Amino acid sequence: MAIMAAACSPKSGVAPAIPVDKDVEAKVESVLKKMTLKEKAGQMVQLSIDTITDDTKPEIDPVKLEKIIGEYKVGSILNLLKDVSLSREGTAAFVRQIQDKSMELIGIPCIYGLDMIHGASYLTDGSLYPQEINLGATFNRDYPRMMGEALAYETRAAQVAWVFSPVMDLGRDPRWPRHWESWGEDPYLQAEMARSETEAIQGADPNHIDLEHAAVSIKHYMGYGVPHTGKDRTPAYIALNDLREKYFRPFKECLQAGALTVMVNSASINGIPTHANKELLTGWAKEELNWDGLIVTDWADINNLYTRDHVAADKREAVAMGINAGIDMIMEPYDPECVNIIVDLAESGDIPMSRIDDAVRRILRLKVRLGLFDNPSWDYDYKDFGCQRFADESYAAALESEVLLKNEGGILPLKGTERILVTGPNANSMRTLNGGWSYTWQGDADTFASDHNTILEAIRNRFPNVKYVPAIEYDQEWGKWEKEHVTGISEAVAAARTCDVVIACVGENTYCETPGNMNDLNLSANQKDLVKALAATGKPIILVLNEGRPRIIGDIEPLVKAVVDVMLPSNYGGDALAALLSGDENFSGKLPFTYSKHINSLHTYDYKVSEHNETMAGSYNYDAIMDVQWPFGHGLSYTTFEYSDLKVSANDFSAGDVLKVSVKVANTGSRTGKEAVLLYSSDIVASLIPDVKRLRGFEKISLAPGESKVVEFEVPAKELAFVGADGKWRLEKGEFRLSCGGQAAMVNCLETKVWDTPNI
Ligand code: BGC
């Protein structure tokens, strides 16, 4: 039947990842059959807003618009103008003009896409939430859901129906400048949080997205977060079993939950640029999962196949390579001639017409699912835009995401009567609380969020006796995020002598993507010097880390009494920190990544058992010792929790069983507190060196003093499987250890099972 025709052939017996809707398919076919080749090629190209705007002001140039839509028949536009941020109304006005022209000239709605990374973060009046790394630290699935709902609602209010979110790169290398865009280093945590956000953004039915929801583009498919050099957009080398087990699995979960589009990893895996990797694009995503969504390139990445990666000789070859590998839409972003290249490739047979039609079907299907044919633009009362509820949720998320890493002698909470010195380059900045993708690409919250409180302002609002000396300031020039100006370390030291406690706010200035590359993960020498000079006064120091990646602080950590990592908590992060420091609120965040201590030993918590090996027989020291600053899952509270009674429903199990695990958690301290309860498994003996442990479940609970709760987890036994060297999932006979909060139980797998299907 024509309706189902596709250039890829799903593996037989695999249920569609997104249910097939006959009406949607019929509409797609009726449009497709009327289209010329040029119109089809135009749908496959996405251009940047710059191609249709005036060069001097943020306004659409009608002549350029007419040409791009009328002549080139381009089907999608993205982005904001560099450093120009617009309000909801401003954005809506842009998009309405594009839609009117598109319907008038080609009768097909355009689809506009924006990077809404932590809330409607590209609108001057949007609601911003803490960045994904912070939501990871909450270990609370409610927050990605809340953020996803608000983000979709407010984006849709700006007449935009497609968001390039959530980010699903595993943050397993802290050198990488996009570490903070991830949910942390663990695949299970990432899958749970990203699925929750995906479902919230798209709503209940991916075939019929309503006017309060939008389409996601989960990104960047896949393995983007572990470049060999630590530098953005450079090659990764990932063993194939790891690729399937840790990197693909979370994407699979989101695709099967209905994610409508996927954006591709800009770089390469094992020497193959991901944009040219037919096995991963067409094979794993489209065929194995019978997934009928759309694959879009990342920014200019087809061009990178010849300009950067040298796997194609020229643009024509690069375009053919990408589309034949499974790319449906090219984020060009500046050259509309790409449309004519696609036409030529189709006419010459270098791209089969069946592949062109398959790609265009996927694009049209997205537009139909979003209702864009019926409503290219829409009138709807978005009365909750910018509402207090979104702000309250953002504050609550910030509270649960800031992590208390050290609290020697119970210096925190502060009594409130202390004379406090606030110092450091991150103390008085909205920009650093938000990070990149905030109003503008590189982050400009100082301009657009100045009505919110910086850390300094929030501390002043809560404590009566506060002095401020910045001591070091960041350069504000574009692209100079690493540059610092030392303005008064000795002044800060003098002020510290007159105070009882010092709050030193250090970390990083904002950056986004490749401009955030750097050569040294250590906290900057200036900032370390500041902490050392302050410590010499003998005054107790509370170190506040406001940073997108865990900068190494091994040498200064012993000098301070307390450490709080606020990461990038957004507009209410300063208020949340002040409430936590004062003890009006309690800490409950836990690290979603390993905080490394040594520059040459960057670890993840799920290291291979053989990576920790102190001394072998005799006295040979292997010097392979796990010595981290703080492990994954670490985070303190003002109260204490005691775990007991870990029980598992069965001692023996087989692949089809579901293990029920319960554990009792009691609040044994004197304050109410929230606790993220984390369940791990360890495969004791396996045919590949096993990971020391893996996260298999998490729940966030709240307990009053003296209260206890039994937390229950259901772990399907197949979740304990791993991918073997042959690429097959296997659950092997033998012992497994299930552990939670210091409690543990051994269980026994009765027989080995190896799956023949690529996914389980
Ligand atoms: C980034 C993507 C982003 C795209 C569009 C690229 O440079 O890597 O994450 O979605 O630009 O703005």
Side-chain angles (χ1 to χ4, degrees):
M1 186 167 82
I3 285 177
M4 296 305 297
C8 65
S9 40
K11 299 265 179 300
S12 59
V14 179
I18 304 171
V20 177
D21 181 296
K22 280 209 272 336
D23 295 339
V24 169
E25 299 306 316
K27 174 73 184 174
V28 167
E29 293 306 318
S30 77
V31 178
L32 185 75
K33 71 173 184 240
K34 289 186 224 127
M35 291 171 76
T36 62
L37 174 59
K38 179 85 180 261
E39 283 169 345
K40 291 178 182 176
Q43 286 298 304
M44 294 173 69
V45 172
Q46 183 183 52
L47 294 180
S48 172
I49 183 79
D50 312 68
T51 58
I52 54 168
T53 45
D54 191 288
D55 288 335
T56 52
K57 44 186 185 310
E59 274 173 25
I60 288 187
D61 177 330
V63 178
K64 288 185 184 166
L65 181 64
E66 185 92 16
K67 189 168 170 122
I68 292 297
I69 307 274
E71 184 183 325
Y72 288 105
K73 309 189 185 309
V74 162
S76 182
I77 304 283
L78 87 153
N79 215 18
L80 292 179
L81 292 166
K82 182 169 169 275
D83 293 335
V84 179
S85 190
L86 293 175
S87 65
R88 160 202 174 181
E89 287 304 337
T91 308
F94 255 82
V95 182
R96 279 183 198 276
Q97 280 184 68
I98 298 169
Q99 290 300 42
D100 289 350
K101 224 1 124 192
S102 205
M103 294 313 285
E104 177 197 325
L105 297 178
I106 53 176
I108 297 176
C110 185
I111 183 162
Y112 204 100
L114 277 182
D115 289 282
M116 296 304 202
I117 303 297
H118 60 123
S121 49
Y122 251 4
L123 302 179
T124 53
D125 45 1
S127 301
L128 274 60
Y129 286 67
Q131 296 277 4
E132 277 186 22
I133 196 71
N134 283 70
L135 298 196
T138 69
F139 283 91
N140 186 340
R141 295 171 184 83
D142 289 343
Y143 291 118
R145 179 183 52 73
M146 290 173 189
M147 179 167 89
E149 280 168 3
L151 177 163
Y153 184 92
E154 293 193 342
T155 304
R156 201 74 194 226
Q159 299 286 321
V160 173
W162 192 15
V163 293
F164 305 134
S165 208
V167 179
M168 297 186 58
D169 303 309
L170 285 175
R172 292 171 76 81
D173 187 328
R175 298 170 303 167
W176 186 51
R178 306 188 75 169
H179 189 262
W180 50 273
E181 291 184 54
S182 78
W183 307 95
E185 71 188 31
D186 178 63
Y188 175 72
L189 175 64
Q190 184 203 52
E192 291 294 296
M193 302 304 249
R195 188 176 49 218
S196 169
E197 188 182 343
T198 294
E199 289 170 349
I201 292 174
Q202 295 195 161
D205 179 1
N207 273 306
H208 302 97
I209 308 267
D210 67 24
L211 293 176
E212 295 190 357
H213 294 88
V216 299
S217 195
I218 53 177
K219 66 185 191 183
H220 308 78
Y221 180 80
M222 64 184 145
Y224 179 38
V226 286
H228 184 60
T229 63
K231 301 279 168 64
D232 190 38
R233 290 180 155 82
T234 60
Y237 298 90
I238 307 173
L240 281 178
N241 58 315
D242 259 4
L243 194 62
R244 187 172 281 284
E245 185 182 323
K246 294 188 177 167
Y247 296 86
F248 179 62
R249 188 71 193 271
F251 277 96
K252 171 202 164 260
E253 299 288 318
C254 283
L255 293 173
Q256 290 181 323
L260 290 175
T261 83
V262 164
M263 188 187 293
V264 181
N265 165 10
S266 261
S268 59
I269 303 171
N270 304 337
I272 307 176
T274 326
H275 285 78
N277 196 325
K278 187 168 183 187
E279 187 183 352
L280 298 189
L281 302 180
T282 301
W284 291 23
K286 291 179 175 174
E287 294 183 345
E288 277 182 12
L289 300 179
N290 197 357
W291 176 74
D292 66 5
L294 172 162
I295 298 185
V296 61
T297 72
D298 200 347
W299 188 265
D301 279 318
I302 290 296
N303 300 335
N304 280 331
L305 293 177
Y306 73 101
T307 57
R308 183 192 66 194
D309 296 332
H310 297 217
V311 293
D314 54 26
K315 183 146 179 167
R316 192 177 183 283
E317 202 176 310
V319 171
M321 192 177 273
I323 293 175
N324 284 330
I327 296 295
D328 302 307
M329 184 186 280
I330 296 177
M331 189 187 287
E332 189 345 278
Y334 296 118
D335 178 14
E337 274 301 310
C338 186
V339 174
N340 289 331
I341 295 179
I342 297 174
V343 170
D344 178 49
L345 285 163
E347 282 170 344
S348 66
D350 289 327
I351 301 176
M353 234 6 248
S354 58
R355 177 73 268 273
I356 299 279
D357 282 346
D358 174 48
V360 177
R361 272 193 185 92
R362 290 168 185 271
I363 295 162
L364 295 176
R365 192 178 286 127
L366 174 69
K367 295 181 177 184
V368 175
R369 283 171 162 162
L370 284 164
L372 292 177
F373 279 90
D374 297 330
N375 294 305
S377 17
W378 46 91
D379 292 314
Y380 186 81
D381 181 12
Y382 290 95
K383 58 182 184 328
D384 289 338
F385 187 94
C387 66
Q388 188 57 40
R389 177 165 58 88
F390 297 161
D392 293 345
E393 289 171 358
S394 177
Y395 175 66
L399 277 177
E400 280 192 40
S401 73
E402 299 185 354
V403 189
L404 178 61
L405 294 169
K406 174 176 180 180
N407 192 14
E408 204 175 284
I411 185 172
L412 294 176
L414 295 170
K415 292 182 199 57
T417 50
E418 300 92 341
R419 292 167 300 164
I420 300 172
L421 170 68
V422 175
T423 184
N426 294 62
N428 197 24
S429 160
M430 286 312 300
R431 176 175 164 180
T432 62
L433 283 179
N434 276 283
W437 297 124
S438 302
Y439 307 104
T440 61
W441 180 43
Q442 294 295 311
D444 193 6
D446 282 338
T447 305
F448 296 102
S450 56
D451 53 336
H452 292 87
N453 292 318
T454 63
I455 293 175
L456 172 69
E457 289 160 349
I459 288 179
R460 280 200 167 131
N461 287 345
R462 222 168 251 271
F463 297 92
N465 213 335
V466 179
K467 276 190 188 168
Y468 170 55
V469 179
I472 299 166
E473 289 172 55
Y474 293 123
D475 201 288
Q476 297 302 320
E477 203 186 323
W478 204 99
K480 297 272 172 62
W481 68 272
E482 267 192 297
K483 192 166 169 197
E484 299 174 348
H485 302 277
V486 178
T487 54
I489 293 185
S490 51
E491 205 186 326
V493 167
R497 292 211 166 90
T498 67
C499 289
D500 303 309
V501 62
V502 178
I503 301 179
C505 304
V506 300
E508 297 184 318
N509 195 2
T510 73
Y511 49 82
C512 200
E513 299 187 38
T514 313
N517 280 346
M518 58 166 192
N519 290 322
D520 188 352
L521 189 62
N522 276 293
L523 185 69
S524 80
N526 292 332
Q527 299 193 41
K528 286 190 173 185
D529 286 349
L530 171 66
V531 175
K532 287 176 191 162
L534 291 165
T537 66
K539 300 290 178 172
I541 298 173
I542 294 157
L543 192 70
V544 173
L545 302 168
N546 171 204
E547 56 190 15
R549 51 195 150 185
R551 302 293 293 261
I552 304 281
I553 52 164
D555 53 343
I556 57 165
E557 178 274 326
L559 306 178
V560 304
K561 290 276 180 231
V563 183
V564 180
D565 192 354
V566 303
M567 296 169 280
L568 301 173
S570 195
N571 286 336
Y572 300 94
D575 298 321
L577 179 66
L580 290 161
L581 295 179
S582 72
D584 289 343
E585 296 287 350
N586 198 350
F587 284 95
S588 70
K590 291 189 174 181
L591 286 179
F593 52 81
T594 304
Y595 206 118
S596 290
K597 190 171 180 179
H598 307 288
I599 198 83
N600 281 6
S601 304
L602 304 177
H603 299 294
T604 55
Y605 85 98
D606 53 349
Y607 58 86
K608 296 286 172 198
V609 289
S610 49
E611 286 179 67
H612 177 80
N613 213 333
E614 290 179 36
T615 313
M616 68 188 286
S619 62
Y620 181 70
N621 182 356
Y622 262 46
D623 198 15
I625 295 164
M626 281 294 144
D627 179 23
V628 301
Q629 192 76 59
W630 293 288
F632 175 91
H634 175 70
L636 305 171
S637 162
Y638 293 144
T639 193
T640 46
F641 297 101
E642 213 172 273
Y643 286 68
S644 61
D645 291 344
L646 180 97
K647 291 188 190 125
V648 190
S649 53
N651 291 335
D652 296 330
F653 67 92
S654 304
D657 293 339
V658 174
L659 294 167
K660 293 190 177 148
V661 187
S662 64
V663 68
K664 190 169 167 192
V665 187
N667 182 343
T668 50
S670 55
R671 301 182 46 120
T672 296
K674 290 185 179 167
E675 170 74 342
V677 181
L678 311 183
L679 177 73
Y680 295 97
S681 75
S682 306
D683 191 347
I684 305 302
V685 176
S687 57
L688 284 188
I689 303 172
D691 294 343
V692 71
K693 63 178 181 175
R694 294 288 297 276
L695 186 71
R696 301 301 185 191
F698 61 88
E699 289 303 329
K700 190 81 174 261
I701 56 168
S702 178
L703 293 173
E707 194 187 358
S708 61
K709 277 185 188 157
V710 174
V711 179
E712 292 177 343
F713 299 97
E714 290 202 346
V715 185
K718 65 177 187 161
E719 292 301 318
L720 306 181
F722 65 95
V723 178
D726 57 0
K728 291 189 173 174
W729 285 94
R730 44 198 303 130
L731 177 68
E732 292 180 352
K733 191 174 165 176
E735 282 192 311
F736 286 76
R737 184 171 185 268
L738 297 173
S739 59
C740 185
Q743 297 273 300
M746 299 303 290
V747 287
N748 181 38
C749 177
L750 292 170
E751 56 185 350
T752 295
K753 162 138 185 141
V754 180
W755 279 263
D756 281 327
T757 50
N759 296 297
I760 59 171

